[in-house]
Amino acid sequence: MNSLELSSMSDEELASLDLENKTFGVIGVCGVVGNLVARILMDRGFDVVGTDISSKEDCRFYSSFEGYDIEIFFGGHPDEFFEKIDFIVPPPSMPKTAKVLELANEKGIDLIELGDIFKLFSPDKNVMCIGGTNGKTTTTTLLKHIAYSAGIKPCEHNLKGMQGNNEFIPSLQTRLNGDLAILETGTDGTPGGLKSIIDLTHANFGILTNITVDHLQDPHENDETDFITRSFLEYAKVKGELVKGIEENNGTLIYNSDDPTVVGLFKEIGFKGDAISFGIEDEPCRIGTKPCWCGRDIEINEFISGCGTFECECGIKYEKPMYLAKNISLKDRTFTLESPEGQTDFTITLDGLHNVYNAVGAIIAARRFLNLSDEEIQKGLSTFEGTAGRMDIVAEVDGKTIMVDYAHNPAGVETILKEVTKIYGDTTVVITITSESGHEGDIEILEKALDNVKYIVPASHDSRLVVDELLASAKEGKSDFDYETLENTFVFTEVDPEQASKFTLGASAEQVVEGVKAALKTDSNIIIVLGEAGFKFESAILDYCNGLS
C-alpha cells in the first residue's frame, strides 16, 4: 500500500485542523515509526506524550529521545495518557478495532495516521537519495562524513542497529531536524518501493552507483519456501524508479556510466532530466557480460565486475563520462579527477578500485549537493575511517590478517576478492553467505571466489552445499573444474554447517568462528570473511582471536 493511503483524513480536513498548542499522543514510541513520528512532532515544537507496551528497560530506541522533552507511559496506555492528549497517532500496523483506538474515539480524541503525518509535515530541506546494488552504504556514509567535517548537519534517524533504508525510515528521517538529508535508498526488488520513497521524501538529488545481480528471489510474506523469481532487467527497472523520480522532481542524478545496465536504463525509460555521469580510466581486468536491454548479452571490458567499456549492436555504448577518475594509484590511494571544472588530485583512505567509484560519486555530490570546495571535500576524505563491515581488519593472528566484509552478491564478492588479492596476495575466503538470489546465486558466488583466491572455506550451509555438488560433478568429469585442483582449494570446517537461517544471514556465530579456525590453517597472507553473518558476528571472531594469544 502507498504510504499516503495510510490516512484517516482528506486533504481538506487536514488543512482545516487547528494544531496550535495541541498535544499529540503517539502509541508505540519504542518502535521505529512511533519513535520517529514523536521526534518529528517535537522537532516542530509540538508537545508529545508517548506510550508503549514495552518496559523502559526493553525500549529498544529509547536513547534516541535524549535531549527531547517527552513524557512516556511504559507498559500500556493508562487513563492519564488520554487525559493529556488532543490527537492520537497509532503505528500503521495497529488495527482500527484496537481497544486503545476505540477508547480514544469514545473520548473524542481525533485520530491522525501515518499518511496524515506525511501530508502535514513535508520535508523542508534538500534530499539526496543514494541507490544501486553495490557501494551505496559506503557512498552514503562517506558523503555524510564530508558534510559533517564541513559543519553541515544531515538529519539522522539515530535508531541504533537499524539500517537507514528499512521500511518508513527514509521517508520519516527527512522530516527530522537537519540541514539536509542524505539517504541510503535500497530495494528488495519489489516494484513501487523506490517510487514511494522518492514521492515521500521529495528527493531532488540522487546517486546511482551500479546495477548488478541481486534480490532476484524473494520469499512471500507468509511462505518462506514459495519464491517469486524476477529477471535481472525487471530488477533493474525497479532501480529505475529512482532515476524517474529524480527527473519528476526536476532534480539532478549522478550516475555510473561505466555500467551498461545503467546507461541502457536511461534509454529504456526515456530519461530527459539533469544527469551527471562518472567513471574511471583503468586497464580492463577481464571480459565480462551482462544482459542488455535489447535481449542480447553485452560484452564488457571490465574494470570491476559489471563496469568498464562496452558496445552493443542496439546502440548502447560506452562514452567518456563528465567526471573521470584517472592516474589511479591503489597503493597510494590517490587519483586525478578530470571534470568540467578542471583536474584535481584527491587522496582517499579506502582500498580498492570499487572505492574509487564510491569516492568519485561522493565528491560530485559534495560539489553539487553540498556546495563545498575541493579543499573542504579533501578534508572530509582524509578523515574518513570507513564503513562498518566494509574491509574491516578485525585481528592479526600468526602474521595473518583477518578481515570482514559485508559483500553478499556475486558482483560484490568478485570485486572485493579481486581487490584484496591485488593488495595482499594469496587470500583465503570464508564464505558465510546465503544468496538473496537463491541457489543459482550461491553457485555464482562460489565461482567468483574460485576465480580470485587461493583457498575457500564454505562456512554456511548453502555454500557447503554448492561445494559438495561441484566436487561430485568434478569427480565424475562433468565439471569445467579439475577435481584435484578443487580438493586443494576447499578447506572444510571440523563440523559440516547445518542450515542456520532460511534467509540471508547464512551462518551462525559458531559457524563463522569455525570457518576462521579452518582458514587459519592455510598459508595465505589474509583471511577475509564474507557475508552478513561475518559482519554480524565480528565480535565473536575477535573474541576467538583474542583467546589464541
Side-chain angles (χ1 to χ4, degrees):
M1 181 184 289
N2 187 300
S3 302
L4 292 176
E5 294 174 13
L6 301 171
S7 179
S8 60
M9 301 186 197
S10 67
D11 291 349
E12 292 76 17
E13 288 173 319
L14 287 171
S16 66
L17 283 179
D18 177 14
L19 301 180
E20 189 172 353
N21 299 319
K22 296 297 192 293
T23 299
F24 290 79
V26 180
I27 302 174
V29 292
C30 294
V32 169
V33 173
N35 179 290
L36 293 172
V37 167
R39 287 162 53 204
I40 288 168
L41 291 166
M42 289 185 287
D43 281 350
R44 283 166 168 73
F46 293 104
D47 291 329
V48 174
V49 180
T51 69
D52 203 283
I53 58 173
S54 298
S55 66
K56 184 176 180 179
E57 292 72 27
D58 293 332
C59 190
R60 181 178 175 188
F61 306 120
Y62 182 73
S63 62
S64 67
F65 288 120
E66 184 177 348
Y68 285 96
D69 183 14
I70 180 172
E71 181 180 11
I72 301 175
F73 293 98
F74 294 101
H77 320 294
D79 289 341
E80 188 180 355
F81 168 67
F82 297 98
E83 293 168 3
K84 291 174 177 277
I85 64 175
D86 302 293
F87 299 103
I88 192 165
V89 187
S93 58
M94 179 171 281
K96 296 285 196 302
T97 55
K99 186 176 180 180
V100 64
L101 297 184
E102 290 179 354
L103 188 57
N105 185 51
E106 290 173 9
K107 293 179 179 292
I109 298 170
D110 288 329
L111 174 69
I112 289 186
E113 297 195 69
L114 180 60
D116 302 323
I117 295 293
F118 284 132
K119 290 179 180 179
L120 283 169
F121 308 110
S122 294
D124 55 358
K125 56 185 69 69
N126 285 330
V127 177
M128 164 72 75
C129 285
I130 300 173
T133 309
N134 306 109
K136 56 184 178 289
T137 301
T138 298
T139 304
T140 302
T141 310
L142 176 55
L143 183 58
K144 279 188 177 182
H145 179 80
I146 293 170
Y148 278 118
S149 72
I152 299 170
K153 182 184 180 297
C155 52
E156 297 282 12
H157 61 73
N158 288 330
L159 302 175
K160 289 186 177 178
M162 291 295 294
Q163 287 185 285
N165 58 2
N166 284 10
E167 276 191 300
F168 297 109
I169 290 178
S171 305
L172 291 169
Q173 183 176 331
T174 58
R175 290 156 168 84
L176 292 167
N177 279 346
D179 299 322
L180 42 75
I182 300 171
L183 309 173
E184 178 182 344
T185 45
T187 172
D188 63 0
T190 303
L194 276 176
K195 176 173 171 48
S196 176
I197 292 173
I198 301 301
D199 288 346
L200 289 170
T201 60
H202 303 175
N204 56 346
F205 277 85
I207 300 176
L208 185 55
T209 60
N210 68 357
I211 303 176
T212 60
V213 175
D214 200 9
H215 297 290
L216 297 191
Q217 288 186 328
D218 284 315
H220 282 300
E221 183 178 349
N222 298 318
D223 188 346
E224 296 175 1
T225 60
D226 184 13
F227 287 100
I228 304 168
T229 302
R230 298 185 177 90
S231 77
F232 172 61
L233 293 178
E234 286 173 339
Y235 166 68
K237 283 183 180 179
V238 174
K239 293 291 187 185
E241 293 175 7
L242 169 64
V243 177
K244 202 66 180 172
I246 297 297
E247 179 186 11
E248 290 172 356
N249 290 342
N250 296 315
T252 298
L253 184 75
I254 301 163
Y255 71 100
N256 178 357
S257 63
D258 288 353
D259 185 337
T261 307
V262 173
V263 172
L265 176 65
F266 278 58
K267 181 179 178 182
E268 184 74 11
I269 66 177
F271 180 80
K272 294 181 176 63
D274 182 31
I276 300 170
S277 58
F278 71 90
I280 69 169
E281 181 179 271
D282 198 43
E283 289 297 322
C285 61
R286 70 163 204 174
I287 302 295
T289 61
K290 290 173 80 174
C292 185
W293 293 91
C294 68
R296 303 178 181 88
D297 278 347
I298 189 167
E299 193 172 272
I300 312 166
N301 298 303
E302 291 186 333
F303 304 141
I304 64 171
S305 182
C307 293
T309 61
F310 51 86
E311 184 169 3
C312 183
E313 293 176 31
C314 68
I316 294 173
K317 64 179 181 179
Y318 170 86
E319 294 181 359
K320 183 179 177 181
M322 293 171 62
Y323 285 76
L324 179 69
K326 60 184 187 179
N327 304 326
I328 299 168
S329 172
L330 295 180
K331 179 182 177 182
D332 299 324
R333 299 172 174 170
T334 60
F335 60 87
T336 301
L337 186 61
E338 180 184 295
S339 71
E341 294 86 26
Q343 295 196 22
T344 308
D345 294 329
F346 287 102
T347 301
I348 60 177
T349 59
L350 304 171
D351 287 318
L353 205 55
H354 62 296
N355 278 320
V356 175
Y357 277 104
N358 296 334
V360 171
I363 289 167
I364 300 168
R367 284 182 176 180
R368 299 294 187 97
F369 179 62
L370 302 179
N371 296 314
L372 297 179
S373 68
D374 287 342
E375 291 75 18
E376 291 171 308
I377 295 169
Q378 182 57 68
K379 177 185 173 185
L381 293 172
S382 298
T383 55
F384 184 60
E385 295 181 355
T387 305
R390 267 60 178 186
M391 297 181 78
D392 277 354
I393 294 178
V394 177
E396 299 279 346
V397 178
D398 296 332
K400 293 181 172 63
T401 300
I402 300 178
M403 178 185 287
V404 167
D405 194 277
Y406 194 81
H408 58 280
N409 57 53
V413 167
E414 180 180 42
T415 297
I416 289 297
L417 294 183
K418 195 181 296 294
E419 297 302 312
V420 168
T421 300
K422 194 182 297 181
I423 296 165
Y424 290 91
D426 289 344
T427 300
T428 297
V429 60
V430 179
I431 300 178
T432 74
I433 302 168
T434 290
S435 174
E436 290 175 310
S437 296
H439 191 59
E440 290 301 314
D442 290 317
I443 293 171
E444 192 174 353
I445 285 169
L446 184 70
E447 290 174 345
K448 300 298 187 186
L450 283 167
D451 288 340
N452 289 286
V453 302
K454 187 174 182 180
Y455 300 108
I456 298 171
V457 181
S460 66
H461 171 270
D462 294 282
S463 62
R464 179 59 185 267
L465 182 65
V466 173
V467 166
D468 289 344
E469 290 175 354
L470 184 56
L471 281 170
S473 178
K475 197 168 187 177
E476 296 173 6
K478 298 178 181 178
S479 169
D480 293 334
F481 296 95
D482 174 68
Y483 179 75
E484 187 175 342
T485 301
L486 293 179
E487 271 198 315
N488 292 329
T489 300
F490 297 133
V491 179
F492 298 113
T493 55
E494 292 180 1
V495 179
D496 292 349
E498 297 180 354
Q499 187 80 60
S501 168
K502 292 184 179 179
F503 296 100
T504 60
L505 184 61
S508 65
E510 293 77 13
Q511 289 168 342
V512 171
V513 170
E514 285 298 313
V516 172
K517 190 185 301 184
L520 284 169
K521 297 175 184 177
T522 67
D523 58 5
S524 292
N525 301 316
I526 186 166
I527 297 165
I528 180 165
V529 186
L530 290 185
E532 181 182 348
F535 168 63
K536 181 174 182 178
F537 302 124
E538 185 174 313
S539 60
I541 299 172
L542 182 58
D543 289 343
Y544 172 71
C545 293
N546 288 339
L548 296 176
S549 56

